[in-house]
Amino acid sequence: MAEVKTLDELFLDTLKDVYFAENKIVETLPKMHEAAKSVQLKDAFTKHLAETKVHVERLEQVFEIIGEEPEQKTCDAILGITDEGAEIMEEYEGSPALDAGLLAAAQAVEHYEMSRYGTLRTWALELGLNDAAGLLQTTLDEEQATDLTLTAIATSVVNQKAEG
C-alpha cells in the first residue's frame, strides 16, 4: 500500500521545487540580459534579477517558518523553460526577433512562478501558515507586476522591432 502523504508534505515538496527554480532563474537572467538588445528589456532583466534574489531570501524565510532547512528539489518544468530560452538565444542570435523570443521565454518563467506562488500561498493559508502566506503573496504580487512590465515592453517596443 502506498504511503499516505499530506498537504504539509506537498507544500514542502513544492517549496523545494520553487526554491530550485528561483536559484536557476538567478543563474539564467544574466545570460538573457547579455543577449537582449532592447534597453528596456535589459533593464527589466536587471530589475528582475534583483527581485529574484529577494524571492530566494523570502523562500528561505518560509523554510524557517516551517522549521525546515532550505533545500532544492530539481524542477523539470523550469529546466525545460530555461532550455527553451537558451535555444532561442542560439537560434535567433543577431535576428530582429531575438528580443521577442527572450521576452516570451521570460514570460513563460513568470507564468510558471505565478502558478506556483499562488498555489503555495493557498496551501499555506489552509495549513495555518499565515506568515508564510504573506511572504508568498508578496512574491506573487511582484511576479505579476514583472509579467505586466514584460507585456508592456513587448507591445510598445520589442514586437514591432521583431517584424524587421
Side-chain angles (χ1 to χ4, degrees), residues 7 9 24 29 42 47 50 57 60 63 69-70 72-74 82 86 90 92 109 127 129 134 148 153 155-156:
L7 185 59
E9 291 166 304
K24 180 68 175 171
L29 276 169
K42 281 183 174 289
K47 180 178 184 249
E57 292 171 7
E60 290 168 352
F63 278 108
E69 286 296 316
Q72 295 184 31
K73 177 181 177 185
T74 301
T82 56
E90 184 179 315
Y92 286 85
V109 168
L127 294 167
L129 303 169
L148 291 173
I153 293 168
T155 57
S156 67

Side-chain angles (χ1 to χ4, degrees), residues 80-149:
I81 293 169
T82 56
D83 284 350
E84 283 182 5
E87 192 175 292
I88 287 167
M89 284 188 272
E90 184 179 315
E91 290 182 13
Y92 286 85
E93 184 178 7
S95 161
L98 174 63
D99 281 354
L102 288 172
L103 207 144
Q107 284 195 288
V109 168
E110 292 310 306
H111 291 201
Y112 173 78
E113 290 177 303
M114 289 186 299
S115 166
R116 287 301 187 201
Y117 280 108
T119 296
L120 282 169
R121 183 241 13 246
T122 300
W123 289 345
L125 289 170
E126 182 66 30
L127 294 167
L129 303 169
N130 295 337
D131 290 344
L135 291 169
L136 295 164
Q137 182 64 55
T138 298
T139 301
L140 176 59
D141 292 343
E142 290 172 1
E143 300 292 7
Q144 291 169 330
T146 296
D147 183 54
L148 291 173
T149 297

Side-chain angles (χ1 to χ4, degrees), residues 7-20:
L7 185 59
D8 59 337
E9 291 166 304
L10 184 58
F11 179 82
L12 178 59
D13 265 356
T14 305
L15 189 63
K16 291 175 184 179
D17 180 272
V18 171
Y19 189 58
F20 175 93

